[in-house]
Amino acid sequence: MNRSSHTDTLAQAVKDAARQAGFDVVGIASADVFHERGETAKERVGDGLMDGLPWFTEERVERGMDPATMLPNARSIISLALSHHHEGDAEAPDNAPRGRIARYAWGEDYHRIFARKVRAFIESLPEITGVEDIGTRWYTDTGPMLDRAVAERAGVGWFGKNTNILTSQGSWMLLAQIITTLDLVPDEPLKNTCGACNICVDACPTGAIVAPYVLDNRKCISYLTIENRGPIPRELRPLIGDWIFGCDICQDVCPVNRKAQVGKAYTELTRDADNRARPELVELLELDDDGFRERFKQSAVLRAKPEGMRRNVCIALGNIADPSTVPALARVLREDSSPIVRGHAAWALGRIRTDEAVGALRGAAQREKDAGVLEEIKEALGKVN
């Protein structure tokens, strides 16, 4: 067998084993420097579109452009995708005010799932390849690796106008990469494009997709409800709707998902979906920090932190504007230790505008000491007077 045939066979064996290990889409990319995608990412940072993510710097991008900086003698990258597609949408079981959580967080944290699957797969590589001394380094969005650029180069998918990777199996994909010293024949990038379709651009309620393939992180509901630790800008709050962790809108409307198949990791990534996907909001608002951590243990939702979740719940309740939630919001405005949460509770009460809500705001105006919360109360009362 000549070298080309051997490396072709080796790459196919690795991809077959990855699929058997539970990954939905697998591709091989070269470990060459990602010049074009890296420069684009640095431009986004320079333009301020990644503001709010202090770890996403030009230096980080620079490191992620060159796989050899992460693994000396890197020859190939194995690109892996797990689908978190769930059959149908999670429906609210009753008329109680409920929030929405992005699909990828309905079950176990995908970082934990990838850790199990990737480590087991790496351990199997010597037997699969017949090579004992294999160098590897793997990532799933926790390191500098340009994951979408890898997936694109490996033929796993193509860049969508919403900046997600779109695959032949849909866009409900979570990505991981294994940089390796194995010399594997790379796959060809796909020729697919979004063509003239702009559905996702038009559907984004906050206008975060400022142009095809360009996302302003500062406006994205996923950023606002997860990574942002401060107040959410008032002008964006009404646009968030009932999303309390992440957002799926640009994927919900994407035509490639009309025929999306349930993924191999379905049961892990969507465990307890009914309970996680549409949680009852007043119940969440009344959880203490320990209760929050217990409710969402081993879930990606923990990234929002207890304070962030209560803030998000206040926004959702303000947008739903159910008068029955006023007592809970008034209690938060009166008792919550976080000025950020109290301020968002004031905003929500101002949206509901019942006599009881106005009374709660006026009472809070007499006792509140925090200047930021007082400003929120003033704004809320100004809308009802």
Side-chain angles (χ1 to χ4, degrees), residues 237 314 333 338-348 368 372-374 376-377:
R237 295 174 195 172
C314 287
L333 180 57
S338 167
I340 290 174
V341 177
R342 296 200 305 275
H344 286 72
W347 178 85
E368 181 60 58
V373 180
L374 284 170
E376 291 280 5
I377 294 171

Side-chain angles (χ1 to χ4, degrees), residues 124-192:
S124 72
L125 284 176
E127 181 178 353
I128 294 166
T129 63
V131 180
E132 288 297 325
D133 187 17
I134 302 174
T136 59
R137 186 80 181 268
W138 73 275
Y139 297 97
T140 175
D141 79 13
T142 53
M145 191 85 255
L146 302 180
D147 54 357
R148 290 169 298 167
V150 174
E152 178 188 41
R153 181 184 286 180
V156 165
W158 70 96
F159 269 84
K161 291 183 180 179
N162 58 7
T163 75
N164 289 321
I165 286 293
L166 313 185
T167 80
S168 60
Q169 297 187 30
S171 73
W172 304 106
M173 293 291 171
L174 302 164
L175 303 175
Q177 312 81 45
I178 304 173
I179 311 171
T180 178
T181 55
L182 285 169
D183 186 8
L184 303 173
V185 173
D187 291 296
E188 292 293 326
L190 301 180
K191 298 185 183 300
N192 307 58

Side-chain angles (χ1 to χ4, degrees), residues 78-269:
I78 306 168
S79 179
L80 306 166
L82 273 179
S83 170
H84 60 284
H85 179 52
H86 180 277
E87 285 186 309
D89 294 321
E91 297 296 331
D94 52 41
N95 293 324
R98 292 179 177 272
R100 293 182 186 271
I101 288 176
R103 289 188 184 209
Y104 75 85
W106 287 3
E108 186 179 4
D109 188 339
Y110 64 92
H111 296 92
R112 296 168 56 90
I113 298 170
F114 266 124
R116 288 196 301 269
K117 292 183 180 298
V118 172
R119 286 169 182 163
F121 173 61
I122 288 174
E123 288 176 3
S124 72
L125 284 176
E127 181 178 353
I128 294 166
T129 63
V131 180
E132 288 297 325
D133 187 17
I134 302 174
T136 59
R137 186 80 181 268
W138 73 275
Y139 297 97
T140 175
D141 79 13
T142 53
M145 191 85 255
L146 302 180
D147 54 357
R148 290 169 298 167
V150 174
E152 178 188 41
R153 181 184 286 180
V156 165
W158 70 96
F159 269 84
K161 291 183 180 179
N162 58 7
T163 75
N164 289 321
I165 286 293
L166 313 185
T167 80
S168 60
Q169 297 187 30
S171 73
W172 304 106
M173 293 291 171
L174 302 164
L175 303 175
Q177 312 81 45
I178 304 173
I179 311 171
T180 178
T181 55
L182 285 169
D183 186 8
L184 303 173
V185 173
D187 291 296
E188 292 293 326
L190 301 180
K191 298 185 183 300
N192 307 58
T193 71
C194 293
C197 179
N198 284 300
I199 292 174
C200 64
V201 179
D202 297 333
C204 180
T206 60
I209 308 173
V210 294
Y213 313 104
V214 183
L215 180 76
D216 187 341
N217 174 73
R218 298 164 296 185
K219 295 180 179 180
C220 180
I221 293 174
S222 287
Y223 162 72
L224 292 169
T225 57
I226 302 174
E227 304 294 343
N228 176 36
R229 300 296 178 214
I232 293 177
R234 289 193 196 107
E235 67 274 15
L236 295 179
R237 295 174 195 172
L239 308 177
I240 291 174
D242 57 1
W243 291 100
I244 59 172
F245 185 89
C247 176
D248 286 334
I249 292 172
C250 67
Q251 297 194 84
D252 281 330
V253 302
C254 182
V256 305
N257 286 323
R258 292 172 185 165
K259 297 182 179 180
Q261 301 297 308
V262 173
K264 294 178 181 178
Y266 165 80
T267 55
E268 297 162 284
L269 286 161

